[in-house]
Amino acid sequence: MTHRSEIRFLLNGRTVNLPTVPATQTLLDFLRLDRRLTGTKEGCAEGDCGACTVLVGRLHAGALRYEAVNACIRFVASLDGCHVVTVEHLSGPDGALHPVQRAMVEHHGAQCGFCTPGIVMSLYALWMQTPEPTETQVETALQGNLCRCTGYAPIIRAAVAVSQYGTPEADHLTLERGRITAELLALKDARRVETGPEDNRAILPADLDDFAAAYAEHPQATVIAGATDVGLWVTKFLRPISPAIFIAHLAELKAIEVSPGAITLGAGVSYSELKPLITQHLPHLAEYWDRIAGWQVRNMGTIGGNIANGSPIGDTPPVLIALGAEVTLRHGNSRRNLPLEKFFVDYGKQDRRPGEFVESIRIPLPSSATRCAAYKISKRRDEDISAVAAGISVTVEAGIIRSARIALGGMAATPKRAAAAEAALLGQPWNEASFAAAARAMSGDFAPLSDWRASAEYRMRVAQNLLRRFFLEQDGAPVRLSA
Amino acid sequence: MKHQSNIRGAVHQDRQHDSAIKHVRGLAEYTDDIAEPAGTLHAYLGVSSVAHATLKGIDLSAVRVAPGVIDVLTAADIPGHNDISPTGRGDEPVFPTEKIEFHGQPLFAVIAETRDAARRAAALAKVETDVLPHALDPIAAQAAGYPLVTDPLKLERGEVGTAMASAPHRLQGRLVVGGQDHMYLEGQIAFALPGEDEDVIVHCSTQHPSEAQHMVAHVLGLPSNAVVVNVRRMGGGFGGKESQMNLFAVVAAMAAKRLNRPVKIRPDRDQDMTATGKRHDFVIDYDVGFDGAGRIRAVDGSFAARCGWSSDLSGPVTDRALFHADNAYFYPHVRLQSRPLKTNTVSNTAFRGFGGPQGVVAAERMIEEIAYALGKDPLEVRKANFYGDAEDGRNLTPYHQEVTDNIIGRVVSELEESCGYQQRRRDILAFNAEGGVLRKGIALTPVKFGISFTATHYNQAGALIHVYSDGSVHLNHGGTEMGQGLNTKVAQVVADAFQIDFERIKITRTTTEKVPNTSATAASSGSDLNGMAALDAAEQIKTRLVAFAAGHWGVRPEEVRFVPGHVQVGAQLLSWEQVIKAAYMARVHLSAAGFYKTPDIHWDRAAGKGRPFYYYAYGASCSEVTIDTLTGEYRVERTDILHDVGRSLNPVLDRGQVEGAFVQGMGWLTTEELWWDQKGALRTHAPSTYKIPLASDRPRVFNVSLAEWSENRERTIKRSKAVGEPPFMLGISVFEALSMAVASVADYREFPRLDAPATPERVLLAVERLAGRAA
């Protein structure tokens, strides 16, 4: 089948058909510069402030789902077959305010107004999913939106009041769901897309096998799933990424399989997509999960990307390593499995051949004898990169520690297990002294760095203290701050 | 005719921000949203990658031939003066010629067809330097013998030496307070359009259009009348656009005139944060003498500030730190000295509070130290030291101004009562006594903040009102809108004066064409100054209308009254529109320029004496926190605020200012950390690395009230008080509550001396330090 070069998507009420799209073109620049839809703002161009928040609707197993995303780090090429909704699309044709907008006006949720369109869009996405949110749910939805003027109180008041001004059932995106779904289906074909100029090329494989083939053919390519890191390579570091292979649309990589002993997920599953299963099967990760980045980034970013990226401060590797997760790597049509901790070799170096990619992740579910915890320590509670992240899984039988997996991020050049601390626990009784000994042993496991996130001294002290927290918490002591 | 009982949008009423609907619809226009004419070019700054060096040369050959590049501007291309120092000290070149003074210093500008092309090209310069040793902070600068960037200030009253020596107790300490980035959501931007002759129009996100205008004229070698600066609104300012936009305005204007094409410059967030100034970091050394009741006998304080490479506004900022080093407390004998130190960092600038918060936090630190030394509740020590009145003689500030409007006692006692301070403190002491991992702290801190620019000549403002023959009103004034609702408040004043509905008044962009020689919208002065100037303009028009109506309808002037939507002329009730139409037909001048200058203020800096402030604004906050002694993480569980805005012009907007300022002040003292590496590069330069508060950081319970009984004793606009800056310092209650929680691990025997910002790291290390000593 022949390739196509046009990128086709819906933008508010119109179909957009772009004959060619450079790989690095961002949605934000497209909206502001090409379409003069200036309601969407640039505040940081790194997916941290949320002033550029828009909704992207896409078909997922035939159902249309809208998510808040950062337009600043979202590439236009990745929007093929999607529906982009900007703040300009909220008010009625007569200028009548949308319920979210009315709530924001009547609760004085805007001062300077620059963050406001982004906040309106995040609250819109929240209201569609959760029409009557709690304050905590609002805070979670706004983790990716900064406001420097209001102190947030009036925004929260507005957010919990939106449903007084209207219901999602009467919203035009709900009413038009059938038509939009049909239009998006009409945009789909089973063809690979290759677009953009030779030095700034984007490839959208037709399916997973096509991806494997394309990557084997272009092993120097940049693979882009959620773009939550690669986006910054482009917007902040002006790095070339051509050819770029976009994979977020590949349904096979979105597959999730739950078996009695494990969850197996495709590498393209986003944090948000996995969240319901986390809550259900790995409840110790639920709070931690909501502290990974902000909502927009969790909607875009993928677990496979977080791993393949190889960062020493990715939030998922420590907690997945502690659970004994494995990755499946694929090159062309050959596959191999690897314990996740073996994937990380050194700073910037993973056990991954050119053209090989993370295809799926298998997360074993802990047995009832295993006590698990996940901790994230950062300067700011939400939407911050970890100073230290820890996953701990300890199996206790008859009061004796039979296995211990302790993995930390932010402590070394890679996410890494605390071998000495684990060894110190093995065979020891479940008590405070054992964990104190493990904490002492941990000082031999790591030689962390000092940087703007934390000093080496703090990282080590806090990592050791987390073992104590783990013991106390498992024992039922009040050791956690309120959410 | 139906008589309207009240106008919409009257003063002292809640009124939504005039742009609220545009904000939520994305229709409010910011500088980057203005449609670009064909041919618009884009500029970008090339910057240094060393902190301190002799500049030997810049090889721009690769820059000039990069794709899309049209031109490069260097110091040699500046037609007028290579200087944008806002105080006329001449120490701030647009681009340096001999020395690089900080990492990230702008060295040249590239002009290209697109912003992307300009950004890429800017990175291609080869800068030849001889690197010199650098000093980044006040301590290093003092050690290296760095100069002061501007004259220091000394405030002195009484006999400090004698009083200190005879005080029953005495202690010394040091407090290091970090700076703060403005992190306005809309970054710096300027967009210049060339005109005929020497003319140039600059759209710029600025709090100080007149200064941007004067700087463009100065750098381009033009008279000010050739330059127009416009700003409809900013996406936040907070002081960061009081002088820091000058660089961008002059680069855009210079390029636009040189190339005769529109030129826009908008740095990315990293460059915005590395190339523009921030709140000053301070190292404060204090020596305090006190009695057994905790009453202060004498204070001797030194305030060393990280000013950066040039003076910018560091003189008035460090002055204001001293003006507020008393906060709400009477110091019988006092000596306060500033040390505005040069450092090899970006030049620090105005930021909400303008040095005041650093002074206030030092005062609160001394109070806490005294309380811990004596084993007392800090609130008791605070009350013991509050300013008194003329009768008890405890009403003289270190700068010899009498405090004549003191209400701090009432504000604090009302808040203490309403938030249940005493019972909650007892509960917290009991909670902490259980010795758990989680510890709590509570603190109630006051604020007294002086209102007026300390540069007395800045306390003036102008406004321009046109009434069109259809009765619609066009309002313009010298203040700028950055979210605070200034335009809304000023329009309310005008609506009230004319007794017409708010919607009849068109709020227009701030422009140097309409009101000249304006002051920065800063020092919380926006409504005080511009509201009065607008009122003056409105009153002039009203006076003419009264004279006209009396003559035209044959009544006495006293019989002409402005009532809602109408003018009562003797027995006749005429609509506003009828009267305006008739006045126009009778050739009455329906336009007026208003003016205001704050009365009764004066300041002799050399003597350290005067009345720099027209009045004071007061407030208090009580915060309760929980800390995790294993990680240093914390939560603000509850904050209660009682704040004084006099008779509020618009309570809902004022409340918004109080809430927002508190959270911003809390951010300054908790998670907002500026971190430089050993090369002198700022590494926290975007929201990914610089952490301002999020929605989830706000207090779990947040009760904010305005002191409704308060009325400004001075004749300010409708007896209101300024609100922009004073509540920023309410955030200090969080800092002090954290201290208490930390102190609990050593049973409050030792004061933790937390430095700011109190990041989780600083909290944990303080806990471990105290626990180690306690063990």
Side-chain angles (χ1 to χ4, degrees), chain A residues 262-419:
Chain A
I263 301 175
T264 304
L265 55 133
V269 172
S270 72
Y271 305 100
S272 293
E273 286 163 343
L274 195 63
K275 179 67 200 292
L277 290 174
I278 293 285
T279 307
Q280 190 184 346
H281 297 285
L282 296 165
H284 76 279
L285 280 179
E287 187 191 319
Y288 182 94
W289 213 252
D290 281 346
R291 289 185 58 198
I292 298 171
W295 194 29
Q296 295 91 327
V297 165
R298 286 198 299 277
N299 289 336
M300 296 165 71
T302 64
I303 294 129
N306 199 231
I307 291 168
N309 176 285
S311 166
I313 46 176
D315 276 331
T316 61
V319 298
L320 295 181
I321 289 170
L323 291 168
E326 291 181 342
V327 288
T328 297
L329 297 163
R330 175 172 172 183
H331 186 282
N333 282 319
S334 70
R335 293 180 173 85
R336 64 191 173 109
N337 295 336
L338 203 62
L340 180 55
E341 65 259 41
K342 301 275 188 211
F343 178 70
F344 301 103
V345 178
D346 202 346
Y347 185 77
K349 184 170 160 53
Q350 298 87 43
D351 182 359
R352 189 177 67 77
R353 289 187 292 142
E356 192 176 38
F357 62 92
V358 176
E359 184 178 47
S360 64
I361 301 112
R362 182 179 177 277
I363 309 170
L365 296 176
S367 76
S368 60
T370 304
R371 305 175 183 196
C372 298
Y375 301 127
K376 171 167 175 156
I377 305 298
S378 51
K379 207 180 281 183
R380 186 176 68 195
R381 176 186 168 84
D382 288 324
E383 204 210 27
D384 197 357
I385 289 168
S386 300
V388 175
I392 304 174
S393 296
V394 172
T395 307
V396 183
E397 287 165 11
I400 302 297
I401 296 167
R402 292 299 173 197
S403 81
R405 294 178 67 89
I406 302 169
L408 287 111
M411 295 291 288
T414 62
K416 192 181 152 207
R417 285 176 68 177

Side-chain angles (χ1 to χ4, degrees), chain B residues 726-770:
Chain B
F728 179 87
M729 283 143 281
L730 299 171
I732 292 171
S733 60
V734 173
F735 187 55
E736 303 299 2
L738 288 170
S739 283
M740 178 184 172
V742 171
S744 73
V745 304
D747 205 23
Y748 316 100
R749 287 188 303 276
E750 181 177 351
F751 183 66
R753 290 194 170 177
L754 273 176
D755 283 333
T759 56
E761 169 163 348
R762 285 211 174 84
V763 169
L764 181 69
L765 296 181
V767 162
E768 302 226 330
R769 193 175 71 236
L770 264 62

Side-chain angles (χ1 to χ4, degrees), chain B residues 424-432 440-442 624 740:
Chain B
R424 285 166 62 207
R425 183 174 151 88
R426 283 193 291 275
D427 293 347
I428 285 169
L429 290 170
F431 175 89
N432 289 342
K440 290 178 181 287
I442 188 169
E624 176 180 335
M740 178 184 172

Side-chain angles (χ1 to χ4, degrees), chain A residues 24 29 32-33 36 38-46 48-49 51 87-88 90-92 94-97 100-102 104-106 108 110-117 120 135-136 138-139 142-154 156-157 232 234-240 291 376-385 450-459 461-462 465-466 468-469 472 478-483, chain B residues 14-17 20-21 23-30 32-36 115-116 119-120 123 180-187 233-236 238 266-270 351-352 436-438 481-484 626-635 637 652-653 655-657 659-661 663-664 667 670-673 675 683-698 700 702 759-762 764-765 768:
Chain A
T24 55
D29 280 353
R32 291 188 59 85
L33 303 178
R36 271 198 54 73
T38 54
T40 308
K41 309 298 183 191
E42 179 180 316
C44 69
E46 58 174 5
D48 258 87
C49 80
V87 70
E88 287 87 354
L90 258 67
S91 309
D94 56 350
L97 293 183
V100 173
Q101 293 171 321
R102 275 190 65 194
M104 282 287 282
V105 168
E106 295 192 12
H108 310 278
Q111 287 184 18
C112 85
F114 199 82
C115 72
T116 310
V120 164
E135 287 199 8
T136 306
V138 175
E139 287 170 0
L142 291 179
Q143 286 168 333
N145 290 89
L146 297 176
C147 169
R148 192 54 153 164
C149 295
T150 63
Y152 303 97
I156 307 284
R157 290 193 281 267
L232 277 66
V234 170
T235 60
K236 287 175 80 93
F237 311 122
L238 306 174
R239 265 168 66 179
R291 289 185 58 198
K376 171 167 175 156
I377 305 298
S378 51
K379 207 180 281 183
R380 186 176 68 195
R381 176 186 168 84
D382 288 324
E383 204 210 27
D384 197 357
I385 289 168
S450 289
D451 67 10
W452 53 93
R453 293 195 183 93
S455 69
E457 181 189 7
Y458 176 69
R459 285 191 160 106
R461 291 301 294 151
V462 96
N465 285 352
L466 288 177
R468 178 171 162 77
R469 175 197 273 187
L472 292 173
V479 294
R480 296 291 280 270
L481 296 169
S482 60
Chain B
D14 286 349
R15 173 84 200 180
Q16 76 192 35
H17 193 286
I21 288 172
H23 288 154
V24 299
R25 296 187 65 193
L27 300 177
E29 193 175 74
Y30 302 82
D32 200 33
D33 303 334
I34 297 170
E36 296 169 8
R115 181 169 174 270
D116 184 64
R119 271 181 93 195
R120 289 173 190 279
Q180 184 177 28
D181 191 88
H182 304 86
M183 201 36 233
Y184 29 60
L185 266 286
E186 179 210 30
R233 62 173 65 75
M234 285 164 273
F238 315 112
R266 177 172 69 84
D268 69 3
R269 181 60 66 173
D270 297 320
F351 194 144
R352 202 176 203 169
V437 165
L438 302 180
E481 177 62 45
M482 60 196 105
Q484 79 279 44
T626 307
I627 67 165
D628 175 344
T629 57
L630 292 177
T631 62
E633 297 165 290
Y634 43 79
R635 289 297 256 174
E637 306 288 359
V652 76
L653 293 189
R655 184 188 157 113
Q657 288 295 297
E659 289 175 340
V663 169
Q664 199 175 63
T670 54
T671 57
E672 295 186 36
E673 187 173 30
W675 195 92
R683 301 300 295 272
T684 48
H685 50 65
S688 53
T689 46
Y690 183 76
K691 311 311 282 187
I692 71 170
L694 272 172
S696 54
D697 295 309
R698 79 192 198 294
R700 305 293 79 200
F702 195 22
T759 56
E761 169 163 348
R762 285 211 174 84
L764 181 69
L765 296 181
E768 302 226 330

Side-chain angles (χ1 to χ4, degrees), chain A residues 4 6-18 21 25-27 30-31 35 37 55-57 75-86 183-184 187-188:
Chain A
R4 116 173 110 85
E6 318 85 76
I7 296 289
R8 308 181 302 204
F9 59 96
L10 305 182
L11 171 59
N12 296 332
R14 293 182 173 211
T15 306
V16 173
N17 198 326
L18 303 172
V21 172
Q25 184 173 24
T26 64
L27 174 57
F30 172 76
L31 294 174
R35 297 289 155 139
L37 289 169
L55 301 194
V56 170
F75 294 111
V76 173
S78 75
L79 295 167
D80 193 62
C82 295
H83 182 202
V84 176
V85 180
T86 71
E183 288 185 24
L184 292 181
L187 293 180
K188 278 196 178 261

Side-chain angles (χ1 to χ4, degrees), chain A residues 134-179:
Chain A
T134 63
E135 287 199 8
T136 306
Q137 287 172 315
V138 175
E139 287 170 0
T140 305
L142 291 179
Q143 286 168 333
N145 290 89
L146 297 176
C147 169
R148 192 54 153 164
C149 295
T150 63
Y152 303 97
I155 297 170
I156 307 284
R157 290 193 281 267
V160 296
V162 175
S163 60
Q164 294 170 16
Y165 301 92
T167 60
E169 292 73 37
D171 185 58
H172 66 100
L173 282 189
T174 310
L175 299 174
E176 293 169 9
R177 186 163 284 265
R179 181 178 63 77

